[in-house]
């Protein structure tokens, strides 16, 4: 029944009707819609960061944003796949050069 009702209406009409009847509602946005939404801007829900690969990139901000410790997004992530593998294998997993070379030879990494 809900499918039939929603199929016959546009998203704005559905949203308006639900708000009128005190039903919690929110649109599922595509990326472009998030970038254009004034509520996202007012809440600083998106931040722009510099990326060597992509130039400026918009991405989700820290949530929830706390008044005493709001947090921040410091970088957009690695520029290339596996960029930090060597660091992780040696520092976190404590693998030495010989162990890494053996894993490479047998195709594990």
């Amino acid at each position: 029944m809900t499918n039939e009702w929603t199929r016959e209406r546009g998203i704005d009409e559905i949203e308006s009707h639900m708000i009128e009847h005190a039903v919690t509602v929110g649109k599922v946005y595509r990326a472009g819609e998030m970038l254009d939404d004034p509520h996202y801007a007012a809440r600083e829900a998106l931040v722009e960061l510099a990326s060597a690969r992509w130039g400026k990139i918009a991405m989700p901000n820290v949530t929830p944003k706390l008044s005493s410790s709001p947090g921040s997004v410091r970088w957009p992530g690695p520029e290339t796949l596996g960029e930090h593998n060597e660091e992780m294998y040696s520092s976190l997993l404590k693998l030495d050069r010989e162990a890494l070379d053996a894993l490479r030879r047998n195709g594990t990494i």
Side-chain angles (χ1 to χ4, degrees):
M1 187 162 144
T2 303
N3 285 345
E4 292 168 16
W5 185 82
T6 57
R7 191 176 299 127
E8 298 169 0
R9 290 160 176 79
I11 188 65
D12 292 331
E13 181 185 352
I14 294 168
E15 182 182 45
S16 176
H17 185 79
M18 294 180 82
I19 290 169
E20 180 183 334
H21 294 280
V23 176
T24 302
V25 63
K27 296 176 185 175
V28 176
Y29 281 152
R30 291 182 173 89
E33 294 165 325
M34 288 180 218
L35 294 170
D36 293 336
D37 187 295
H39 294 281
Y40 272 70
R43 292 173 44 220
E44 299 175 342
L46 299 172
V47 294
E48 274 194 2
L49 297 174
S51 164
R53 184 174 182 187
W54 305 108
K56 280 193 173 182
I57 184 170
M59 56 191 311
N61 202 351
V62 174
T63 186
K65 192 169 193 173
L66 306 175
S67 57
S68 296
S69 56
S72 64
V73 180
R74 294 182 293 272
W75 65 298
E79 299 292 338
T80 60
L81 183 62
E83 182 176 326
H84 299 103
N85 285 359
E86 190 85 15
E87 178 185 349
M88 296 298 106
Y89 296 147
S90 60
S91 67
L92 292 179
L93 298 179
K94 308 291 186 212
L95 298 176
D96 60 19
R97 176 66 48 204
E98 288 179 18
L100 287 172
D101 289 343
L103 290 172
R104 282 188 187 96
R105 279 192 303 278
N106 72 21
T108 302
I109 59 172

